[in-house]
Amino acid sequence: KSFLNHTANLSCYFPNSQKNDIKDLRIFWQKGTVEVVHEVYYGQEKRDNLSPKYVNRTKMDMDKWTLQLLNAAIVDEGQYTCIIQHRDKGSPKVIHTSECLLHIIANYSQPEIAQLHTGQLKPKEYLNLSCSSSGGYPEPKQMTWLISHENKTHPGHMDVSQDAVTKLYNVTSKLSIPVPTNIPINISCFLHLGEQLGSLVSVPLSI
C-alpha cells in the first residue's frame, strides 16, 4: 500500500543466497505483461525499454532489492513482477521471480453533516440531513448514521461519484428522521473504508 503522491516501495524478496555480483545480474520490473518499469542491466541502469510513464520515476535500492516508485498515482495500481536473470556461461538464466500488488490510498476529508432546510423545526415534521466526505480512494464501503438515544445505526442512502481526471471519490449520504421531541439528541455520521482502513466519523450534530 502507498499513499497517493508518496513513494511506493515494491520488494523483489530476493535473498541472494548465492552472493551473486550485481554485474552478473539483469534485474527488471514490469507491470502486467507489457510495461517495463525499471531495468538494471549487469550493474548499469538501462532506460531504452522503459514505458514512458515510468521514466525518471523509479530508483532501485540494491541493498534491499526494492524498487522505489516516486509520486505513486492511482493509475499505478496493479500487479508488478520482479525478474532476476544471472549471466551463466554467456546466456542469461532466470534465477528469481516475484510479484507484488500495489494499492493506492488517498485520505478522505472528515465527514461533515449539513441540515437540508431552513427555519424552525416543528414537531411531527421530518429532519432532513446530508453527510459528505471528499477526495478519497479507494471507493468507500458504506456510510452510516448513529442517533445518540437509539443505540442503532441507520444505513442512509449513499451516493458515490468519481472524478474523471483525479479518479478520487466523493461520497454523500442522506437521512430523514422525525423531528425529536422532549429530549436533545446527537447525530453522527460514519464513513466506513473497509477492515484495514477503518472508519472516519463526523463532528456530532446536536438537535
Side-chain angles (χ1 to χ4, degrees):
K1 290 186 173 67
S2 172
F3 281 102
L4 182 66
N5 298 328
H6 285 57
T7 298
N9 291 300
L10 308 171
S11 179
C12 260
Y13 304 106
F14 180 54
N16 197 17
S17 49
Q18 303 292 318
K19 301 285 185 283
N20 289 301
D21 189 325
I22 185 73
K23 291 188 174 61
D24 292 324
L25 298 177
R26 182 180 172 218
I27 304 138
F28 58 99
W29 280 90
Q30 62 185 42
K31 185 182 180 201
T33 54
V34 291
E35 291 186 293
V36 178
V37 178
H38 193 88
E39 184 175 5
V40 180
Y41 192 80
Y42 304 125
Q44 298 294 316
E45 298 210 335
K46 190 177 175 189
R47 295 165 183 256
D48 309 2
N49 304 319
L50 295 193
S51 171
K53 70 181 182 197
Y54 294 107
V55 173
N56 296 328
R57 286 187 59 217
T58 56
K59 283 197 292 200
M60 186 84 186
D61 182 337
M62 299 310 303
D63 295 325
K64 297 180 181 165
W65 302 95
T66 296
L67 183 72
Q68 296 178 321
L69 176 60
L70 311 179
N71 285 326
I74 288 168
V75 292
D76 293 325
E77 275 201 323
Q79 184 109 354
Y80 290 79
T81 308
C82 168
I83 300 163
I84 299 179
Q85 295 177 336
H86 181 254
R87 182 159 46 184
D88 185 30
K89 298 192 179 75
S91 58
K93 185 173 122 195
V94 174
I95 57 168
H96 179 81
T97 60
S98 64
E99 293 180 339
C100 62
L101 198 56
L102 177 62
H103 295 282
I104 302 297
I105 302 162
N107 286 328
Y108 283 85
S109 62
Q110 183 180 16
E112 204 170 303
I113 297 176
Q115 298 190 47
L116 301 177
H117 47 73
T118 54
Q120 193 67 36
L121 287 167
K122 299 184 179 66
K124 297 189 177 166
E125 288 185 347
Y126 273 81
L127 176 64
N128 295 312
L129 304 172
S130 78
C131 179
S132 303
S133 175
S134 62
Y137 192 89
E139 187 173 355
K141 300 297 182 196
Q142 67 176 149
M143 212 172 210
T144 57
W145 298 79
L146 182 67
I147 301 172
S148 57
H149 68 286
E150 288 187 354
N151 281 337
K152 70 172 183 180
T153 56
H154 295 254
H157 174 70
M158 185 172 78
D159 279 317
V160 178
S161 63
Q162 187 177 25
D163 187 287
V165 178
T166 66
K167 304 298 181 195
L168 298 176
Y169 288 99
N170 299 322
V171 55
T172 301
S173 177
K174 294 195 167 108
L175 180 72
S176 183
I177 57 168
V179 171
T181 52
N182 307 328
I183 53 164
I185 63 166
N186 286 326
I187 300 173
S188 301
C189 160
F190 292 81
L191 180 63
H192 303 280
L193 301 170
E195 277 178 35
Q196 293 179 319
L197 297 175
S199 302
L200 296 173
V201 63
S202 68
V203 174
L205 175 71
S206 300
I207 305 287

